Coordinates of all heavy atoms in Angstrom, one line a residue:
M1324 N 90.8 264.5 -13.1 CA 91.2 265.9 -13.2 C 91.1 266.6 -11.8 O 91.8 267.5 -11.6 CB 90.4 266.7 -14.2 CG 90.7 266.3 -15.6 SD 89.9 267.2 -16.9 CE 90.6 268.8 -16.7
K1325 N 90.2 266.1 -11.0 CA 90.1 266.7 -9.6 C 91.3 266.4 -8.8 O 91.7 267.3 -8.0 CB 88.8 266.2 -8.9 CG 87.6 267.0 -9.3 CD 86.5 266.5 -8.4 CE 85.3 267.4 -8.4 NZ 84.2 267.0 -7.5
Y1326 N 91.8 265.2 -8.9 CA 92.9 264.8 -8.0 C 94.0 264.2 -8.8 O 94.2 263.0 -8.8 CB 92.4 263.7 -7.0 CG 91.2 264.2 -6.2 CD1 89.9 263.8 -6.5 CD2 91.4 265.2 -5.2 CE1 88.9 264.2 -5.7 CE2 90.3 265.6 -4.5 CZ 89.1 265.2 -4.7 OH 88.0 265.6 -4.0
P1327 N 94.8 265.0 -9.6 CA 95.8 264.4 -10.5 C 96.9 263.7 -9.8 O 97.6 262.9 -10.3 CB 96.3 265.7 -11.3 CG 96.0 266.8 -10.4 CD 94.7 266.4 -9.6
K1328 N 97.2 264.1 -8.5 CA 98.2 263.4 -7.8 C 97.8 262.2 -7.0 O 98.5 261.6 -6.2 CB 98.9 264.4 -6.8 CG 99.7 265.5 -7.5 CD 100.5 266.3 -6.6 CE 101.3 267.3 -7.4 NZ 102.3 268.0 -6.6
A1329 N 96.6 261.7 -7.3 CA 96.0 260.5 -6.7 C 96.8 259.3 -7.1 O 96.8 258.3 -6.4 CB 94.6 260.4 -6.9
Y1330 N 97.4 259.3 -8.3 CA 98.1 258.2 -8.8 C 99.6 258.2 -8.5 O 100.1 259.3 -8.2 CB 97.9 258.1 -10.3 CG 96.5 257.8 -10.7 CD1 95.7 258.9 -11.2 CD2 95.8 256.6 -10.5 CE1 94.3 258.7 -11.5 CE2 94.5 256.4 -10.8 CZ 93.8 257.5 -11.3 OH 92.5 257.3 -11.6
H1331 N 100.2 257.1 -8.5 CA 101.6 257.0 -8.0 C 102.6 257.6 -9.0 O 102.3 257.7 -10.2 CB 102.0 255.5 -7.8 CG 101.2 254.9 -6.8 ND1 101.4 255.1 -5.4 CD2 100.2 254.0 -6.8 CE1 100.6 254.4 -4.7 NE2 99.8 253.8 -5.5
Q1332 N 103.7 258.0 -8.5 CA 104.8 258.5 -9.3 C 105.3 257.3 -10.1 O 105.4 256.2 -9.6 CB 105.9 259.1 -8.5 CG 107.0 259.8 -9.3 CD 108.0 260.5 -8.4 OE1 107.9 260.5 -7.2 NE2 108.9 261.1 -9.0
E1333 N 105.7 257.5 -11.4 CA 106.1 256.4 -12.3 C 107.5 256.0 -11.8 O 108.5 256.7 -11.9 CB 106.2 256.9 -13.7 CG 106.7 255.8 -14.7 CD 106.1 254.5 -14.6 OE1 104.9 254.4 -14.5 OE2 106.8 253.5 -14.6
P1334 N 107.7 254.7 -11.3 CA 108.9 254.2 -10.8 C 110.1 254.2 -11.8 O 111.2 254.3 -11.5 CB 108.7 252.8 -10.3 CG 107.3 252.5 -10.7 CD 106.6 253.7 -11.2
L1335 N 109.8 254.0 -13.1 CA 110.8 254.0 -14.1 C 111.4 255.4 -14.5 O 112.4 255.5 -15.2 CB 110.3 253.3 -15.4 CG 109.8 251.9 -15.3 CD1 109.1 251.4 -16.5 CD2 111.0 251.0 -14.9
L1336 N 110.7 256.4 -14.0 CA 111.1 257.8 -14.4 C 111.4 258.7 -13.1 O 111.4 259.9 -13.2 CB 110.0 258.5 -15.2 CG 109.7 257.8 -16.5 CD1 108.5 258.4 -17.2 CD2 110.9 257.8 -17.5
T1337 N 111.8 258.0 -12.0 CA 112.0 258.8 -10.8 C 113.3 259.6 -10.9 O 113.5 260.5 -10.1 CB 112.1 257.9 -9.6 OG1 113.0 256.9 -9.8 CG2 110.7 257.3 -9.3
N1338 N 114.2 259.3 -11.8 CA 115.5 260.0 -11.9 C 115.4 261.3 -12.7 O 116.3 262.0 -12.9 CB 116.5 259.1 -12.6 CG 116.1 258.7 -14.0 OD1 115.0 258.8 -14.3 ND2 117.1 258.2 -14.7
R1339 N 114.2 261.7 -13.1 CA 113.9 262.9 -13.9 C 113.7 264.1 -13.0 O 113.2 264.0 -11.9 CB 112.8 262.7 -14.8 CG 112.9 261.6 -15.8 CD 113.9 261.9 -16.8 NE 114.1 260.9 -17.8 CZ 113.7 260.9 -19.0 NH1 113.0 262.0 -19.4 NH2 113.9 259.9 -19.8
K1340 N 113.9 265.3 -13.5 CA 113.6 266.5 -12.8 C 112.1 266.7 -12.7 O 111.5 267.2 -11.7 CB 114.2 267.8 -13.4 CG 115.7 267.9 -13.2 CD 116.2 269.2 -13.8 CE 117.7 269.3 -13.6 NZ 118.2 270.5 -14.2
I1341 N 111.4 266.4 -13.8 CA 110.0 266.5 -13.9 C 109.4 265.3 -13.3 O 109.8 264.1 -13.5 CB 109.5 266.7 -15.3 CG1 110.1 267.9 -15.9 CG2 108.0 266.7 -15.4 CD1 109.9 268.1 -17.4
E1342 N 108.3 265.4 -12.5 CA 107.7 264.3 -11.8 C 106.6 263.7 -12.8 O 105.7 264.4 -13.2 CB 107.0 264.7 -10.5 CG 106.3 263.6 -9.8 CD 105.7 264.1 -8.5 OE1 106.4 264.1 -7.5 OE2 104.5 264.4 -8.6
Y1343 N 106.8 262.5 -13.1 CA 105.8 261.8 -14.0 C 105.0 260.8 -13.1 O 105.5 260.2 -12.2 CB 106.6 261.0 -15.1 CG 107.2 261.8 -16.1 CD1 108.5 262.3 -16.0 CD2 106.5 262.3 -17.2 CE1 109.1 263.1 -17.0 CE2 107.1 263.1 -18.2 CZ 108.4 263.5 -18.0 OH 108.9 264.3 -19.0
R1344 N 103.8 260.7 -13.4 CA 102.8 259.8 -12.7 C 102.2 258.9 -13.8 O 102.3 259.1 -15.0 CB 101.8 260.6 -12.0 CG 102.4 261.4 -10.9 CD 101.3 262.2 -10.1 NE 101.9 262.7 -8.9 CZ 102.0 262.2 -7.8 NH1 101.6 260.9 -7.6 NH2 102.6 262.8 -6.8
S1345 N 101.7 257.7 -13.3 CA 101.1 256.8 -14.2 C 99.8 256.2 -13.7 O 99.6 256.1 -12.5 CB 102.1 255.7 -14.5 OG 102.5 255.0 -13.4
V1346 N 99.0 255.8 -14.7 CA 97.7 255.1 -14.4 C 97.7 253.9 -15.2 O 97.9 253.9 -16.5 CB 96.5 256.0 -14.8 CG1 95.2 255.3 -14.6 CG2 96.6 257.3 -14.1
I1347 N 97.4 252.7 -14.6 CA 97.3 251.5 -15.4 C 95.9 251.5 -16.0 O 94.9 251.5 -15.3 CB 97.5 250.3 -14.5 CG1 99.0 250.3 -14.0 CG2 97.2 249.0 -15.3 CD1 99.4 249.2 -13.1
I1348 N 95.9 251.4 -17.3 CA 94.6 251.4 -18.1 C 94.0 250.0 -18.1 O 92.8 249.8 -17.8 CB 94.8 251.9 -19.5 CG1 95.5 253.3 -19.5 CG2 93.5 251.9 -20.3 CD1 94.7 254.4 -18.9
N1349 N 94.8 249.0 -18.5 CA 94.3 247.6 -18.4 C 95.6 246.8 -18.2 O 96.6 247.3 -17.8 CB 93.6 247.2 -19.7 CG 94.4 247.3 -20.9 OD1 95.6 247.1 -20.9 ND2 93.8 247.6 -22.0
Q1350 N 95.5 245.5 -18.3 CA 96.7 244.6 -18.0 C 97.9 244.9 -18.8 O 99.0 244.4 -18.5 CB 96.3 243.2 -18.0 CG 95.9 242.6 -19.4 CD 95.4 241.2 -19.3 OE1 95.0 240.7 -18.2 NE2 95.4 240.5 -20.4
Y1351 N 97.8 245.5 -20.0 CA 98.9 245.7 -20.8 C 99.4 247.2 -21.0 O 100.5 247.4 -21.4 CB 98.6 245.2 -22.3 CG 98.3 243.8 -22.3 CD1 97.0 243.3 -22.7 CD2 99.2 242.8 -21.9 CE1 96.7 242.0 -22.7 CE2 98.9 241.5 -21.9 CZ 97.7 241.1 -22.3 OH 97.4 239.7 -22.4
Y1352 N 98.5 248.1 -20.7 CA 98.9 249.5 -21.0 C 98.8 250.4 -19.7 O 97.9 250.2 -18.9 CB 98.0 250.1 -22.1 CG 98.2 249.4 -23.4 CD1 97.3 248.4 -23.8 CD2 99.2 249.8 -24.2 CE1 97.5 247.8 -25.0 CE2 99.4 249.1 -25.4 CZ 98.6 248.1 -25.8 OH 98.8 247.5 -27.0
K1353 N 99.6 251.4 -19.7 CA 99.5 252.5 -18.7 C 99.7 253.8 -19.4 O 100.4 253.9 -20.4 CB 100.5 252.3 -17.6 CG 101.9 252.5 -17.9 CD 102.8 252.6 -16.6 CE 103.3 251.3 -16.1 NZ 104.3 251.4 -15.1
M1354 N 99.1 254.8 -18.8 CA 99.2 256.2 -19.3 C 100.1 256.9 -18.4 O 100.0 256.9 -17.1 CB 97.8 256.9 -19.3 CG 97.9 258.3 -19.7 SD 96.3 259.2 -19.7 CE 96.0 259.3 -17.9
I1355 N 101.1 257.6 -18.9 CA 102.1 258.3 -18.2 C 101.9 259.8 -18.4 O 101.7 260.2 -19.6 CB 103.5 257.9 -18.6 CG1 103.7 256.4 -18.3 CG2 104.6 258.7 -17.9 CD1 104.9 255.8 -18.8
Y1356 N 101.8 260.6 -17.4 CA 101.5 262.0 -17.5 C 102.3 262.8 -16.5 O 102.9 262.3 -15.6 CB 100.0 262.2 -17.3 CG 99.5 261.9 -15.9 CD1 99.4 263.0 -14.9 CD2 99.2 260.7 -15.5 CE1 98.9 262.7 -13.7 CE2 98.7 260.4 -14.2 CZ 98.6 261.4 -13.3 OH 98.2 261.2 -12.0
R1357 N 102.3 264.1 -16.7 CA 102.9 265.1 -15.8 C 101.9 266.2 -15.5 O 101.0 266.5 -16.3 CB 104.2 265.6 -16.3 CG 104.1 266.3 -17.6 CD 105.5 266.7 -18.1 NE 105.3 267.3 -19.4 CZ 106.1 268.3 -19.8 NH1 107.1 268.8 -19.1 NH2 105.9 268.9 -21.0
I1358 N 102.2 266.9 -14.4 CA 101.3 268.0 -14.1 C 102.1 269.3 -14.1 O 103.2 269.4 -13.5 CB 100.7 267.8 -12.6 CG1 100.1 266.4 -12.6 CG2 99.8 268.9 -12.2 CD1 99.8 265.9 -11.2
D1359 N 101.6 270.3 -14.8 CA 102.2 271.6 -14.9 C 101.2 272.6 -14.5 O 100.4 273.1 -15.3 CB 102.6 271.9 -16.3 CG 103.7 271.0 -16.9 OD1 104.6 270.7 -16.1 OD2 103.6 270.6 -18.0
G1360 N 101.1 272.9 -13.2 CA 100.1 273.8 -12.6 C 98.7 273.3 -12.8 O 98.4 272.2 -12.2
D1361 N 97.9 273.9 -13.6 CA 96.5 273.4 -13.8 C 96.4 272.5 -15.1 O 95.3 272.2 -15.5 CB 95.6 274.6 -14.0 CG 95.4 275.3 -12.7 OD1 95.7 274.8 -11.6 OD2 95.0 276.5 -12.7
V1362 N 97.6 272.3 -15.7 CA 97.6 271.5 -17.0 C 98.1 270.1 -16.8 O 99.2 269.9 -16.2 CB 98.4 272.3 -18.1 CG1 98.5 271.5 -19.3 CG2 97.9 273.7 -18.3
I1363 N 97.4 269.1 -17.3 CA 97.9 267.7 -17.2 C 98.3 267.4 -18.6 O 97.5 267.5 -19.6 CB 96.8 266.8 -16.8 CG1 96.3 267.1 -15.3 CG2 97.2 265.3 -16.9 CD1 95.1 266.4 -14.8
T1364 N 99.6 267.0 -18.8 CA 100.1 266.6 -20.1 C 100.3 265.1 -20.2 O 101.1 264.6 -19.4 CB 101.5 267.4 -20.3 OG1 101.3 268.8 -20.2 CG2 102.0 267.1 -21.7
I1365 N 99.7 264.5 -21.1 CA 99.9 263.0 -21.3 C 101.2 262.9 -22.1 O 101.3 263.4 -23.2 CB 98.7 262.4 -22.1 CG1 97.4 262.6 -21.2 CG2 99.0 260.9 -22.4 CD1 96.2 262.2 -21.9
S1366 N 102.1 262.1 -21.5 CA 103.4 262.0 -22.1 C 103.5 260.7 -23.0 O 104.3 260.6 -23.9 CB 104.5 261.9 -21.0 OG 104.5 263.1 -20.3
A1367 N 102.8 259.6 -22.5 CA 102.9 258.4 -23.3 C 101.8 257.4 -22.9 O 101.3 257.5 -21.7 CB 104.2 257.7 -23.0
F1368 N 101.4 256.6 -23.8 CA 100.6 255.4 -23.5 C 101.6 254.3 -23.7 O 102.1 254.0 -24.8 CB 99.4 255.2 -24.5 CG 98.3 256.1 -24.1 CD1 98.1 257.3 -24.8 CD2 97.4 255.8 -23.1 CE1 97.1 258.2 -24.5 CE2 96.4 256.6 -22.8 CZ 96.2 257.8 -23.5
W1369 N 101.9 253.6 -22.6 CA 103.0 252.6 -22.6 C 102.5 251.2 -22.6 O 101.7 250.8 -21.7 CB 103.9 252.9 -21.3 CG 105.1 252.0 -21.2 CD1 105.3 251.0 -20.3 CD2 106.2 252.0 -22.1 NE1 106.5 250.4 -20.5 CE2 107.1 250.9 -21.6 CE3 106.6 252.7 -23.2 CZ2 108.3 250.6 -22.2 CZ3 107.8 252.4 -23.8 CH2 108.6 251.4 -23.3
D1370 N 103.0 250.4 -23.5 CA 102.8 249.0 -23.5 C 103.7 248.3 -22.5 O 104.9 248.3 -22.7 CB 103.0 248.4 -24.9 CG 102.6 247.0 -25.1 OD1 102.5 246.3 -24.0 OD2 102.5 246.5 -26.2
M1371 N 103.2 247.8 -21.4 CA 104.0 247.3 -20.3 C 104.8 246.0 -20.7 O 105.6 245.5 -19.9 CB 103.2 247.1 -19.1 CG 102.7 248.4 -18.5 SD 101.8 248.3 -17.0 CE 100.3 247.4 -17.4
R1372 N 104.5 245.5 -21.9 CA 105.2 244.3 -22.3 C 106.5 244.6 -22.9 O 107.3 243.7 -23.2 CB 104.3 243.5 -23.3 CG 103.1 243.0 -22.6 CD 102.1 242.4 -23.6 NE 101.6 243.5 -24.5 CZ 100.7 243.4 -25.4 NH1 100.2 242.2 -25.7 NH2 100.2 244.4 -26.1
M1373 N 106.8 245.9 -23.2 CA 108.0 246.3 -23.8 C 109.1 246.5 -22.8 O 108.9 246.5 -21.6 CB 107.8 247.7 -24.5 CG 106.8 247.6 -25.7 SD 106.5 249.2 -26.5 CE 108.1 249.5 -27.2
N1374 N 110.3 246.6 -23.3 CA 111.5 246.7 -22.5 C 111.4 248.1 -21.8 O 111.3 249.1 -22.4 CB 112.8 246.7 -23.4 CG 114.1 246.7 -22.6 OD1 114.1 247.1 -21.4 ND2 115.1 246.4 -23.3
P1375 N 111.5 248.1 -20.4 CA 111.4 249.4 -19.7 C 112.5 250.4 -20.0 O 112.3 251.6 -19.8 CB 111.4 249.0 -18.2 CG 111.8 247.6 -18.2 CD 111.7 247.0 -19.5
I1376 N 113.6 250.0 -20.5 CA 114.7 250.9 -20.9 C 114.2 251.9 -22.0 O 114.6 253.0 -22.0 CB 116.0 250.2 -21.3 CG1 116.5 249.4 -20.0 CG2 117.0 251.1 -21.8 CD1 117.6 248.5 -20.3
K1377 N 113.4 251.4 -22.9 CA 112.9 252.2 -24.0 C 112.0 253.3 -23.5 O 111.9 254.4 -24.1 CB 112.1 251.3 -24.9 CG 112.9 250.3 -25.8 CD 112.0 249.6 -26.7 CE 112.9 248.7 -27.6 NZ 112.1 247.9 -28.5
L1378 N 111.3 253.1 -22.4 CA 110.5 254.2 -21.8 C 111.4 255.4 -21.5 O 111.0 256.5 -21.7 CB 109.7 253.7 -20.6 CG 108.9 254.8 -19.9 CD1 107.8 255.3 -20.9 CD2 108.2 254.2 -18.7
N1379 N 112.5 255.2 -20.8 CA 113.4 256.2 -20.4 C 113.9 257.0 -21.7 O 114.1 258.2 -21.6 CB 114.6 255.7 -19.6 CG 114.5 256.1 -18.2 OD1 114.1 257.2 -17.9 ND2 115.0 255.3 -17.3
R1380 N 114.2 256.3 -22.7 CA 114.7 256.9 -24.0 C 113.6 257.7 -24.7 O 113.8 258.7 -25.3 CB 115.2 255.8 -24.9 CG 116.5 255.2 -24.5 CD 117.0 254.3 -25.5 NE 117.9 253.3 -25.0 CZ 118.1 252.1 -25.4 NH1 117.4 251.6 -26.4 NH2 119.0 251.3 -24.9
M1381 N 112.3 257.2 -24.6 CA 111.2 257.8 -25.3 C 110.8 259.1 -24.7 O 110.4 260.0 -25.4 CB 110.1 256.8 -25.3 CG 108.9 257.3 -26.1 SD 107.6 256.0 -26.2 CE 106.8 256.3 -24.7
I1382 N 110.8 259.2 -23.4 CA 110.3 260.4 -22.7 C 111.5 261.3 -22.4 O 112.5 261.0 -21.9 CB 109.6 260.1 -21.4 CG1 108.3 259.4 -21.8 CG2 109.3 261.3 -20.6 CD1 107.4 259.0 -20.7

């Protein structure tokens, strides 16, 4: 929460107006979030074994 921009921008969602960032939780999952001022909104917990096209449709 102190440094929400410390993680990288999510490469699968760079074409969006809203900037999404992601954190790899373990070898299979990542958390995708966005920052709105002082609020961090978790957008998805993504299973990285899934088709990446589904992520674009889901968010």
Side-chain angles (χ1 to χ4, degrees):
M1324 291 183 66
K1325 275 187 162 182
Y1326 306 105
K1328 291 190 175 189
Y1330 297 104
H1331 297 285
Q1332 189 173 359
E1333 175 54 43
L1335 297 172
L1336 299 171
T1337 56
N1338 60 342
R1339 302 291 180 103
K1340 286 183 180 180
I1341 299 171
E1342 182 181 271
Y1343 289 93
R1344 296 184 170 269
S1345 61
V1346 178
I1347 295 177
I1348 304 297
N1349 61 31
Q1350 65 185 18
Y1351 299 117
Y1352 295 98
K1353 72 168 83 170
M1354 179 182 69
I1355 299 170
Y1356 67 96
R1357 63 185 175 142
I1358 305 163
D1359 298 318
D1361 292 342
V1362 178
I1363 298 172
T1364 304
I1365 298 172
S1366 301
F1368 283 100
W1369 181 249
D1370 184 343
M1371 295 185 292
R1372 297 170 289 183
M1373 294 179 67
N1374 185 346
I1376 295 171
K1377 289 183 179 182
L1378 178 61
N1379 250 327
R1380 289 184 199 150
M1381 186 175 80
I1382 293 183

